[in-house]
Amino acid sequence: MLKLKFKPWMLLIPLLLLLGPTSLIPFVYAIYMSLYRYVVTSPAPVVFIGLGNYVKLFYDDMFINALWRGLIFAISCITLEVALGFGLALLLWDIPSKLGSFLRVMLCIPLAAPPIVIGTMWKLMLNPDVGPVPYFLRHLNIDFNIGESELDAFLATLFMDAWHWTPLVTFILLAGLLAIPKGLLEVAEVSGATFMQKLRHVIVPLISQQFLIASLIRFMDALRIFDEVWMLTCGGPGISTQYLCIYIYRLVLTQWDLGYGSALSIVTLYIIIGFSMLLFNLLLKGGGEE
Amino acid sequence: MMRYRSRILIALLTSTLILFSSVPLVSFASEVTIRDWLAEVSKPYRGITIRWITESTPPSLFIRDVLAPEFEKITGIKVEVEATSWDEMYRKSIADMEAKTGIYDLVYVEQDIIAFYAKKGYLTDIRTFPKKLWYPGYDMWDIFSLKYYVVDDKILAVPFETFIKAYAYRKDLFNDPKERAAFKAKYGWELRPPKTWEEYKQIAEFFYRPKENLYGHVAQAATHPCLFYEVVAETILPTFGVHYWGITLKRRASVEEGGSLNSPAAVAALTMYIDLLKYAPPGVKTYTWDEVGAAWCAGIIAQGLVYGDQLAKVINPKLSKVAGKIDIALPPVEPKYYKGGYVGYMDMGGFGIPASSKHKEAAWLFIQWVTCKENAARMMKELGTSCIRRSLLFSPLADEIDKKYGFHYFEVMRKGVEFGLFEGAPPIPEHMIIVDMGYKILAKAIAGKMTPKECLDELAHAIDAKFKELGYTS
């Protein structure tokens, strides 16, 4: 009986042995560090300040700016990527198998590219001096300059993220679409439902779980974006694209403020968890009502 | 009498013997080549590997590709060189030295970081090496920028590259009779390198021809530490009379606390800097030092400030469209505010041996190999813009190189060294904190989010607050 009771825990031991050193210990160490004023680049001594770093967060304009801009970016990303991804999934759903396979492979290309490569690629494309995008836009009398305009820089990060991750949303939604029983759609058709009616009353409710998963993954990823934006704008112009992780990076690896950086990392983790749970509940509630 | 004579004879013979036997010793000391000396002294270290992390500057690459393999051949000590970007180099070296992991036996030490490294006790004092490990013909104090690496009487690093950031211009354009006539007709004075920022602005305006893909100005105005360096540290504020970052010895930056970072002179300097950006290429606000170098190489810039290591690329015909068309002069100043002092930046990179290194002595031998007179001259000849030794800077070799590239770089550098016109950074241990805070605030003014006055007020007060937080009482 005792053996049976402990068996599940024993089965978890290999996983716990793996997670302990790789996740738990660094996390606990980060909490420990967050209670100290520890700036490597300063000759000032390391001092225990309790929750001082957490209190500082409330008065840190840079943090509030990074959080606010990060949220706008994440919400814009999921809106754009889910809309585009759903459109593409619908297109791929009906395409004959050979062409469909080819297009799916093509869609995999952005997913296979490392974020740092994507950042570099977009940086070259959007370079105000020699990039093809600003060049062609100039012919349309549009001055697109990511070094000059905050809006342009924000849009650049948004489109770059959408280009990179929309295929993922497409694949998640396509998996949902392919799982819809054909009979249901035929019944709707026989009943005289238009395409929009089928979409609203049959397709979307049936793949609401896929919408939920895709939105959640993308929201979490977008909130902690770093590599591509760092390559493309370095957080500029000014601090207009300095999202949360770029700010943390600067604190920890440029200013070497390990204490405050640790506090910020922990708070960011809980912000992401909090907003993700909120989104999860909202979407689940929306799906349930359908 | 005989006894005395024989004594005198013996004394004479002995002294003659001593004299003659010491002659070869003296001549050995001065004539033994560094190769022979290294081959002998490195025997105990054969077969080991030393690791060096450095910024990917032209001298670093020359050392990696030429001098390190030669050193390995002579000594049997392998040198692994990790040449990477400026920020990556800092991250890796600081992480290694802070954690005392001993991964690196040599780190790249920029002069401006030395005060911080010294405070943290990261580096080994070069003076502590035993005499037998000093090459007799090394002449260390001939390295003129070595003084910047001496902290509390300890030599913490040895420079292997020294450049200046000077004013550069396209002499083919400046000497073109048509351009000169048109310029004189428009502005009423002969086209020549500017002495004041007002003159600089007129030249910038004159050469601003976007349709011809030519621009009158260039700057490193990206949201990046380079922005702080250019505006506050290197040329812009100093030529308006605000030196040493406008920060006092008591670590205060604002005028209210005795500093000058938000003084009228500093505000005028930043206003001018922002105003000049309109004459630069459209992407200037994404430019770091690398893009500035690339824009020069592409032949789209008529004048601007440029680092010596970037200039090395601009004068290289394989990399540049304007090789042979560039000349150098002292940066302009603002006569209303500038009353003397340095006008530009002396950019230095040195070898430091981390206290955590496991092969300190082998690393020291490598340093001497790279920075000895023979190899310093080779690097100077090969790269054209770096010189570390006074004896070379004031030698015919410097003139030969100036002649070869058709510029006055070393002439300007000589003036700089003689009259203190180019300086390194002030010894502020919190250097990195200030730079990181600084460029983000400056970037807001560059993006037009605040006026230069608001920007410098915010920056000066933020620096004061940071120093207070770090325990500096006024």
Side-chain angles (χ1 to χ4, degrees), chain A residues 27-70:
Chain A
F27 181 66
V28 173
Y29 187 63
I31 293 175
Y32 169 76
M33 293 276 281
S34 71
L35 304 176
Y36 284 84
R37 189 180 70 192
Y38 180 19
V39 187
V40 177
T41 47
S42 160
V46 180
V47 184
F48 178 78
I49 52 167
L51 296 176
N53 282 324
Y54 293 93
V55 175
K56 193 175 161 186
L57 278 172
F58 290 98
Y59 305 99
D60 183 354
D61 290 343
M62 289 277 188
F63 165 67
I64 293 163
N65 169 77
L67 177 63
W68 176 239
R69 286 175 192 268

Side-chain angles (χ1 to χ4, degrees), chain A residues 37-45 56 62 69 123 127-129 138 143 145-148 150 230 232-239 242 247 249-251 253-258, chain B residues 87 90-92 94-95 98 116 119-120 122 223-225 281-287 291 300 429-433 436-437 439-441 443-444 446-447 449 466 469-472:
Chain A
R37 189 180 70 192
Y38 180 19
V39 187
V40 177
T41 47
S42 160
K56 193 175 161 186
M62 289 277 188
R69 286 175 192 268
K123 189 176 182 172
N127 183 300
D129 294 339
R138 262 197 295 275
D143 184 21
N145 190 332
I146 58 167
E148 187 90 44
E150 284 193 4
W230 181 252
L232 182 64
T233 63
C234 225
I239 49 168
Q242 181 173 272
Y247 184 47
Y249 172 83
R250 279 180 168 159
L251 272 176
L253 284 165
T254 313
Q255 292 195 22
W256 291 87
D257 191 341
L258 300 188
Chain B
D87 39 1
Y90 269 130
R91 268 194 300 281
K92 287 188 166 180
I94 292 175
E98 180 69 13
F116 160 53
K119 278 275 179 192
K120 298 292 285 188
Y122 283 161
T223 304
H224 185 273
V284 71
K285 291 177 186 174
T286 63
Y287 281 18
E291 285 80 12
I300 62 171
E430 297 78 8
H431 176 101
M432 294 184 97
I433 303 173
D436 196 67
M437 277 169 55
Y439 83 81
K440 280 184 276 189
I441 297 171
K444 288 197 250 178
I446 299 297
K449 286 276 139 192
K466 181 53 92 177
E469 185 192 321
L470 294 173
Y472 288 94

Side-chain angles (χ1 to χ4, degrees), chain B residues 63-333:
Chain B
I63 295 166
R64 183 191 67 187
D65 299 336
V66 180
L67 298 181
E70 286 178 5
F71 180 74
E72 191 183 343
K73 256 187 200 169
I74 299 166
T75 63
I77 300 169
K78 192 170 189 240
V79 185
E80 278 182 7
V81 183
E82 189 179 334
T84 183
S85 67
W86 174 82
D87 39 1
E88 188 70 11
M89 172 274 296
Y90 269 130
R91 268 194 300 281
K92 287 188 166 180
S93 21
I94 292 175
D96 175 55
M97 292 187 289
E98 180 69 13
K100 299 182 175 66
T101 48
I103 293 170
Y104 298 112
D105 302 297
L106 286 164
V107 290
Y108 180 88
V109 185
E110 267 201 303
Q111 176 275 330
D112 43 19
I113 203 73
I114 194 69
F116 160 53
Y117 283 8
K119 278 275 179 192
K120 298 292 285 188
Y122 283 161
L123 299 172
T124 306
D125 180 7
I126 301 294
R127 288 183 206 240
T128 56
F129 288 110
K131 207 178 170 188
K132 64 172 183 179
L133 290 181
W134 288 73
Y135 171 52
Y138 186 48
D139 193 6
M140 188 180 227
W141 291 104
D142 184 38
I143 302 173
F144 60 85
S145 42
L146 183 70
K147 63 179 182 189
Y148 292 99
Y149 289 95
V150 181
V151 183
D152 298 331
D153 212 28
K154 291 176 184 162
I155 302 174
L156 296 179
V158 180
F160 65 88
E161 60 178 27
T162 303
F163 306 101
I164 51 168
K165 187 178 185 187
Y167 167 83
Y169 64 100
R170 286 273 300 277
K171 64 178 181 183
D172 59 322
L173 296 175
F174 276 52
N175 292 337
D176 184 335
K178 276 186 198 164
E179 298 284 7
R180 294 179 69 84
F183 184 85
K184 191 165 186 190
K186 191 170 179 187
Y187 298 102
W189 55 283
E190 290 290 344
L191 182 58
R192 53 160 169 75
K195 289 189 168 51
T196 66
W197 281 109
E198 184 50 40
E199 289 179 357
Y200 181 98
K201 189 179 170 183
Q202 289 177 6
I203 297 171
E205 186 185 58
F206 180 70
F207 284 115
Y208 178 68
R209 300 162 193 176
K211 284 181 185 161
E212 296 171 30
N213 203 18
L214 180 68
Y215 297 89
H217 174 60
V218 69
Q220 46 192 51
T223 304
H224 185 273
C226 68
L227 174 63
F228 181 89
Y229 288 128
E230 181 158 87
V231 173
V232 177
E234 294 167 351
T235 312
I236 306 302
L237 259 58
T239 53
F240 278 71
V242 181
H243 293 102
Y244 302 109
W245 303 14
I247 296 176
T248 64
L249 289 173
K250 288 186 174 175
R251 304 282 187 266
R252 290 296 182 265
S254 68
V255 171
E256 298 89 314
E257 302 245 15
S260 52
L261 192 52
N262 57 343
S263 62
V267 173
L270 183 59
T271 307
M272 186 250 357
Y273 184 78
I274 294 169
D275 184 40
L276 281 174
L277 294 177
K278 64 183 179 228
Y279 303 117
V284 71
K285 291 177 186 174
T286 63
Y287 281 18
T288 67
W289 36 63
D290 288 328
E291 285 80 12
V292 168
W296 272 105
C297 288
I300 62 171
I301 307 299
Q303 63 164 359
L305 300 164
V306 66
Y307 286 106
D309 57 345
Q310 295 296 334
L311 188 64
K313 297 173 192 165
V314 183
I315 58 172
N316 183 343
K318 286 180 193 161
L319 303 173
S320 166
K321 285 183 180 174
V322 289
K325 295 177 181 172
I326 301 292
D327 206 349
I328 299 295
L330 284 170
V333 297

